[in-house]
Amino acid sequence: MPLTDLVAPNAILPALKVNNKKQALAARAAVLSGHSEKAIFEILMQREKLGSTAIGAGVAIPHGKMPSLTRLFGLFARLDRPIDFEALDGQPVDLIFLLLAPEGAGADHLKALARIARLLRDPGITHKLRASHDAESLYAVLAMPSASAA
């Protein structure tokens, strides 16, 4: 499953302006997924209470399961300036891949998270994402063959 199966071109935000983790978590996901912003926010915050979804090196993968979803939904954002995401390495986050999954997604949800994490742990990929300044070029990086093989 390539990452382009998880995130549509209109779900790429090249310069999202947020001031904190709470704003970043639900920003735009409600509009793009057609689900309640409050519901998305609550599901993501429940997950964050278990531990930060920041994986280090300026990357976070907030995620959660929603009963009303029928398929995996992804949103990728490059922040206009890094924010504190309570990462274990103490680094602020500027790349966020939000993933929402149907309640019964099970293995598909875990496989998608693993694929996203492998890709975003690649310093070459994160460098290209940080150097890309529009949605089309960000999407192209996520659609690269190495991204599909991640």
Side-chain angles (χ1 to χ4, degrees):
M1 173 191 343
L3 285 186
T4 51
D5 285 358
L6 299 174
V7 63
N10 70 341
I12 304 287
L13 309 174
L16 184 63
K17 291 176 177 20
V18 294
N19 295 317
N20 58 50
K21 181 177 173 175
K22 288 183 180 179
Q23 286 182 332
L25 292 178
R28 293 287 307 269
V31 173
L32 294 170
S33 71
H35 290 81
S36 155
E37 183 175 345
K38 183 178 184 221
I40 292 170
F41 178 78
E42 288 174 0
I43 285 165
L44 295 172
M45 289 310 294
Q46 284 175 355
R47 173 56 190 85
E48 288 297 314
K49 286 178 185 170
L50 300 174
S52 177
T53 55
I55 62 171
V59 174
I61 310 171
H63 57 278
K65 291 185 178 178
M66 292 189 70
S68 56
L69 279 180
T70 57
R71 63 174 187 83
L72 291 169
F73 170 81
L75 179 143
F76 179 81
R78 187 176 153 281
L79 304 184
D80 74 329
R81 62 183 176 81
I83 60 170
D84 178 29
F85 222 87
E86 302 167 22
L88 290 177
D89 67 357
Q91 299 253 350
V93 164
D94 65 335
L95 299 176
I96 297 176
F97 198 116
L98 180 146
L99 181 68
L100 297 173
E103 197 73 63
D108 288 342
H109 181 218
L110 294 176
K111 286 177 187 174
L113 280 173
R115 183 175 299 270
I116 294 163
R118 276 194 302 272
L119 177 73
L120 296 180
R121 282 195 174 122
D122 180 330
I125 295 291
T126 56
H127 175 75
K128 286 177 184 170
L129 290 169
R130 288 183 174 110
S132 300
H133 296 287
D134 58 61
E136 293 79 22
S137 54
L138 288 167
Y139 191 76
V141 173
L142 295 174
M144 288 170 47
S146 62
S148 297

